[in-house]
Amino acid sequence: MANIQEVARKAGVSSATVSRVLNNTTVVSSRTKMKVEKAIKELQYEPSMLGRNLRKSESRLLLVLIHSFSNPFFSKIINGIEDHSIANNYNILLCESDSDPQRENIFLNMVRNKLADGVISMNPAVDMEMMLDLAEKHSIIFCSEYYENDAIPYVTIDNEAAAYKAVKHLIKLGNEKIAFISYEESFVYAKQRRNGYERALREFGLPMREEWIYNAGGLDFQDGVQAVRKFLQCDERPTAVFAVSDTLAIGALKEVNVRGIKIPDEMAVVGFDNINFSNMTNPTLSTVSQPMYDMGYKAASMLIDSIQGKAVDSVIMDHELIIRESTLS
Amino acid sequence: MANIQEVARKAGVSSATVSRVLNNTTVVSSRTKMKVEKAIKELQYEPSMLGRNLRKSESRLLLVLIHSFSNPFFSKIINGIEDHSIANNYNILLCESDSDPQRENIFLNMVRNKLADGVISMNPAVDMEMMLDLAEKHSIIFCSEYYENDAIPYVTIDNEAAAYKAVKHLIKLGNEKIAFISYEESFVYAKQRRNGYERALREFGLPMREEWIYNAGGLDFQDGVQAVRKFLQCDERPTAVFAVSDTLAIGALKEVNVRGIKIPDEMAVVGFDNINFSNMTNPTLSTVSQPMYDMGYKAASMLIDSIQGKAVDSVIMDHELIIRESTLS
DNA sequence: GTCTGATATGTAATCGTTTACATATCAGAT
DNA sequence: ATCTGATATGTAAACGATTACATATCAGAC
């Protein structure tokens, strides 16, 4: 593979001039420019990013940490991240750290090792201390899940308000026994959603029972199925379920269907995230929609700003309650 | 940020020795080793991949091309790719080229520019000529979708046989009017699945009608919905549907449900891919399962072999027909 | 004919590693 | 005391770009 020196030799100029042609950085006379371009074509020269990256000491790669590919919630966010990154000549290194906790370390080493210029973390299970430490020398943005002080900028929604709105909607429909499918309340988003759930119940003077709260072991459909099985064993069977995630809600829907319980009359269900599927279930699922694409786009924009040394502020985006058949009589 | 020279100076050795300690490449006396490790710790030194990559002229990055994140079919494959890559000190650069055809060029430039050491393409819409050209100088593996000569190694399943098996299953259930939801028959996998469909019909002497074949405009749920609407307008209404993708089949299921048509008695449905969600629909979806994780794992293994100059052979993996409620009376 | 400033190009250092080759050191054999 | 071979370390040249600085060229003004 030809390098810049060979191109220079062939064109009868110096490598500096070739570089100038390549980057359009200074004026090069049109005659030399043509000579250089001819040489490039003849040698099928392609500039090496390795050389350029070393010299500029940047990789133009952004690390994106997610918990798991299998949750479709992330795909739209990633679309947003990717679009903005590519438009700014960055590329993304998508890393799933779910399966193996020590894998996270491998990934974060990439930014320490200059293989990535910055990080967008969407993984709520991330080691916060490590992130805080890393943030002192590198650019980090949280997306969706974040750390509850302003040490690291984030883009998210008001989870508490969204959950409150969802539960209030269930209450307005006449439900008084409302169950909650939670997940890992050490995660900020889960805790906030629970707070919203509790606030709504309190505000309307409704009972709050431990047995109506199921702490799922994961975010898979199957975990939602389990939750409903548990609820159906309660002495006082709940008449509505709010889940912190659509995947859980869809599993719940499934199990309610299987048991022949009528939705929403005997059991109303609301999820969270508005993933694609939520519109394809039977019945369709009411849910809270986050502006996923925009969140990703904004996070990427914030990260690139931060890499370039600009100050960035956290953002809280709008959410929306989407009412579908699972709460529509 | 400290570099290797500073570490060397601090430890009172040469940078070569530091490098040797770092890479465990030659024997270093335990006393020097300790000195070096102490210096590394004190300076909080982290070796720069940029320097290393340039020197070794490799990036240790694998480019993975997919059509779209939104099809969950890919997520398991990517898991397999990632696991094998990371175990071999590679990382993956996941690229979605759906939205923008010229984006593909940006991605493929990464391998020309040495930013990626090889490519796994799962994008059936990829520009084949460009890939063939690229394959002359770089390592490329196709996964799932491939090019029908052996110029570029691939890992896939026998799509024709799988489709045949699925349709035969519908026939055995007593269906004689079987519709087919296809998608872009310029894609090898779609064409092969159609061949399997047609072979089954022919073999059992069943009619094959143009109006029972719907060519979807995309792979979204909504496209499956459209397909069923079309089928229901036929003079002779089909009693079964085979779709080239679970996403299409799930859309079909949805629309059939909405119309109040009984599944599977009045309309049986079979999909393809066994995505997670296919088990959560109501009723659950019969489908063809591909060994997605293994396919990804194998593709990564083949690519790394190829990068290291080994010869690799294409692989055809096993598939399995999974029978669920949508074809179970 | 000299000077000035603008324009175009070349020179060489630099980014941070790895590694071929050279050299130093030392134990054990003679 | 010298030699040998093994072991440990150092020297310096890559890898392939970018860029500060120096220099060459030239048109126009005097």
Side-chain angles (χ1 to χ4, degrees):
Chain A
M1 232 24 152
N3 63 16
I4 200 171
Q5 314 287 348
E6 296 173 45
V7 174
R9 204 174 316 129
K10 180 134 197 164
V13 299
S14 75
S15 65
T17 299
V18 177
S19 173
R20 284 187 268 254
V21 171
L22 247 35
N23 299 288
N24 253 331
T25 174
T26 325
V27 181
V28 179
S29 80
S30 58
R31 204 159 49 88
T32 8
K33 191 167 178 178
M34 286 189 53
K35 280 193 299 184
V36 170
E37 280 166 350
K38 185 156 162 278
I40 289 178
K41 216 162 252 164
E42 284 177 14
L43 292 172
Q44 297 194 52
Y45 166 74
E46 298 278 353
S48 158
M49 288 301 153
L50 302 179
R52 172 179 303 178
N53 287 348
L54 173 58
R55 176 57 221 242
K56 300 184 126 185
S57 69
E58 64 172 14
S59 66
R60 291 251 144 202
L61 253 31
L62 308 180
L63 194 65
V64 176
L65 296 181
I66 64 175
H67 182 69
S68 155
F69 289 123
S70 64
N71 192 335
F73 169 61
F74 294 115
S75 65
K76 278 256 176 65
I77 300 188
I78 293 169
N79 281 331
I81 296 178
E82 194 170 45
D83 282 356
H84 190 268
S85 300
I86 288 183
N88 288 272
N89 282 307
Y90 279 87
N91 277 98
I92 67 176
L93 219 42
L94 193 54
C95 298
E96 182 190 36
S97 43
D98 172 34
S99 36
D100 180 4
Q102 84 183 83
R103 183 172 289 188
E104 196 170 279
N105 227 313
I106 299 180
F107 293 144
L108 294 181
N109 257 325
M110 299 177 114
V111 33
R112 298 196 188 97
N113 292 334
K114 308 221 144 222
L115 222 163
D117 294 342
V119 184
I120 294 175
S121 172
M122 305 198 272
N123 182 4
V126 84
D127 178 340
M128 277 299 171
E129 261 187 67
M130 197 184 276
M131 294 302 272
L132 287 170
D133 189 54
L134 202 66
E136 295 189 1
K137 295 193 179 180
H138 302 276
S139 294
I140 300 182
I141 304 290
F142 282 124
C143 183
S144 175
E145 178 73 2
Y146 63 104
Y147 186 63
E148 277 190 304
N149 70 15
D150 282 0
I152 298 179
Y154 52 80
V155 34
T156 186
I157 60 162
D158 186 338
N159 285 289
E160 203 267 355
Y164 171 83
K165 198 187 291 181
V167 176
K168 185 170 164 186
H169 166 61
L170 288 171
I171 295 171
K172 291 286 181 194
L173 291 175
N175 292 292
E176 301 195 330
K177 295 179 280 185
I178 301 176
F180 180 56
I181 310 180
S182 184
Y183 170 64
E184 269 293 337
E185 298 195 349
S186 61
F187 298 169
V188 172
Y189 80 92
K191 197 183 62 190
Q192 292 180 337
R193 290 176 197 177
R194 171 154 185 175
N195 288 344
Y197 162 76
E198 294 188 354
R199 177 158 67 91
L201 295 192
R202 238 181 293 113
E203 203 163 286
F204 288 86
L206 295 180
M208 196 166 348
R209 288 193 175 209
E210 266 312 312
E211 59 174 357
W212 292 343
I213 295 180
Y214 181 85
N215 224 302
L219 285 177
D220 292 328
F221 300 119
Q222 207 52 44
D223 295 300
V225 171
Q226 296 298 335
V228 166
R229 289 194 185 143
K230 202 74 186 296
F231 292 149
L232 295 182
Q233 288 167 7
C234 295
D235 300 334
E236 289 271 0
R237 192 163 111 182
T239 62
V241 178
F242 170 53
V244 290
S245 147
D246 276 356
T247 47
L248 293 172
I250 288 171
L253 225 49
K254 173 74 191 163
E255 184 64 9
V256 174
N257 270 327
V258 163
R259 300 301 185 100
I261 296 168
K262 289 224 169 57
I263 304 173
D265 296 337
E266 296 172 330
M267 182 78 84
V269 180
V270 176
F272 209 112
D273 286 345
N274 192 27
I275 65 177
N276 271 341
F277 291 136
S278 63
N279 201 20
M280 280 297 135
T281 51
N282 183 24
T284 52
L285 179 69
S286 294
T287 187
V288 175
S289 167
Q290 310 187 40
M292 301 184 270
Y293 180 89
D294 293 339
M295 287 169 71
Y297 199 90
K298 181 68 185 171
S301 144
M302 286 164 68
L303 180 56
I304 292 173
D305 279 353
S306 168
I307 289 170
Q308 292 171 351
K310 298 180 199 157
V312 297
D313 290 321
S314 299
V315 174
I316 294 181
M317 295 202 152
D318 290 336
H319 61 264
E320 189 188 353
L321 179 63
I322 298 186
I323 297 171
R324 299 208 187 95
E325 294 163 2
S326 70
T327 63
L328 213 61
S329 26
Chain B
M1 242 346 182
N3 63 15
I4 201 173
Q5 313 288 349
E6 295 173 45
V7 174
R9 205 174 314 131
K10 181 135 198 163
V13 299
S14 74
S15 64
T17 298
V18 177
S19 173
R20 284 188 266 256
V21 171
L22 248 35
N23 298 288
N24 253 330
T25 173
T26 323
V27 180
V28 179
S29 81
S30 59
R31 204 159 49 87
T32 7
K33 190 167 177 178
M34 287 190 53
K35 280 193 300 183
V36 169
E37 280 165 350
K38 184 156 164 278
I40 289 178
K41 215 161 253 164
E42 285 177 13
L43 293 173
Q44 298 195 52
Y45 166 73
E46 300 278 353
S48 158
M49 287 302 152
L50 300 179
R52 171 178 303 178
N53 287 348
L54 173 59
R55 175 56 220 240
K56 302 184 123 186
S57 67
E58 64 172 15
S59 66
R60 291 251 146 202
L61 254 29
L62 308 180
L63 195 64
V64 176
L65 296 182
I66 63 175
H67 182 69
S68 156
F69 288 123
S70 66
N71 192 335
F73 169 61
F74 294 115
S75 66
K76 279 257 175 64
I77 300 188
I78 293 169
N79 282 330
I81 296 178
E82 194 170 44
D83 282 356
H84 190 268
S85 301
I86 289 183
N88 288 273
N89 282 307
Y90 279 87
N91 277 97
I92 66 176
L93 219 42
L94 193 53
C95 298
E96 182 190 36
S97 42
D98 173 34
S99 35
D100 181 3
Q102 83 182 84
R103 185 172 287 188
E104 199 169 276
N105 226 314
I106 299 179
F107 293 144
L108 294 182
N109 257 325
M110 299 176 116
V111 33
R112 298 196 188 97
N113 292 335
K114 307 220 145 224
L115 221 163
D117 294 343
V119 183
I120 294 175
S121 171
M122 305 197 271
N123 182 4
V126 84
D127 179 339
M128 276 300 170
E129 261 187 68
M130 199 184 274
M131 293 303 271
L132 287 172
D133 188 54
L134 202 66
E136 296 190 2
K137 296 194 180 180
H138 304 276
S139 294
I140 301 183
I141 305 288
F142 282 125
C143 184
S144 175
E145 177 73 3
Y146 62 104
Y147 186 62
E148 276 190 304
N149 70 15
D150 281 2
I152 299 179
Y154 52 80
V155 34
T156 186
I157 59 162
D158 186 338
N159 286 290
E160 202 267 355
Y164 171 83
K165 197 187 290 179
V167 175
K168 186 171 164 184
H169 167 62
L170 288 171
I171 295 171
K172 291 285 181 194
L173 290 177
N175 292 292
E176 302 195 328
K177 294 179 281 185
I178 302 175
F180 180 56
I181 310 180
S182 184
Y183 171 64
E184 268 293 338
E185 297 194 351
S186 60
F187 298 169
V188 172
Y189 81 91
K191 198 183 61 191
Q192 292 180 338
R193 291 176 197 176
R194 171 155 184 175
N195 289 343
Y197 162 75
E198 293 189 354
R199 176 157 71 90
L201 295 192
R202 239 181 291 114
E203 204 164 283
F204 288 86
L206 295 181
M208 196 168 346
R209 288 193 176 206
E210 267 311 314
E211 60 175 357
W212 292 343
I213 295 179
Y214 181 85
N215 223 302
L219 284 177
D220 292 328
F221 302 117
Q222 209 51 44
D223 296 301
V225 170
Q226 296 298 337
V228 166
R229 289 194 185 143
K230 200 75 185 295
F231 293 149
L232 295 182
Q233 289 167 6
C234 295
D235 301 333
E236 289 271 359
R237 194 164 111 181
T239 61
V241 178
F242 170 53
V244 290
S245 149
D246 277 357
T247 47
L248 293 172
I250 288 170
L253 224 50
K254 174 73 190 163
E255 183 65 9
V256 173
N257 270 327
V258 163
R259 299 301 184 100
I261 297 168
K262 290 224 168 58
I263 304 173
D265 296 336
E266 296 173 328
M267 181 78 83
V269 180
V270 176
F272 209 113
D273 286 344
N274 192 26
I275 64 177
N276 269 341
F277 190 54
S278 64
N279 201 20
M280 280 298 135
T281 51
N282 183 24
T284 52
L285 179 69
S286 294
T287 187
V288 175
S289 169
Q290 310 187 42
M292 301 183 271
Y293 180 90
D294 293 339
M295 287 169 70
Y297 200 90
K298 182 66 185 172
S301 145
M302 287 164 67
L303 180 57
I304 292 173
D305 280 353
S306 168
I307 289 169
Q308 292 171 352
K310 297 180 200 156
V312 297
D313 290 321
S314 298
V315 174
I316 294 182
M317 296 202 151
D318 290 335
H319 60 265
E320 189 188 353
L321 178 63
I322 297 186
I323 297 171
R324 299 208 186 94
E325 295 164 0
S326 69
T327 63
L328 213 61
S329 25

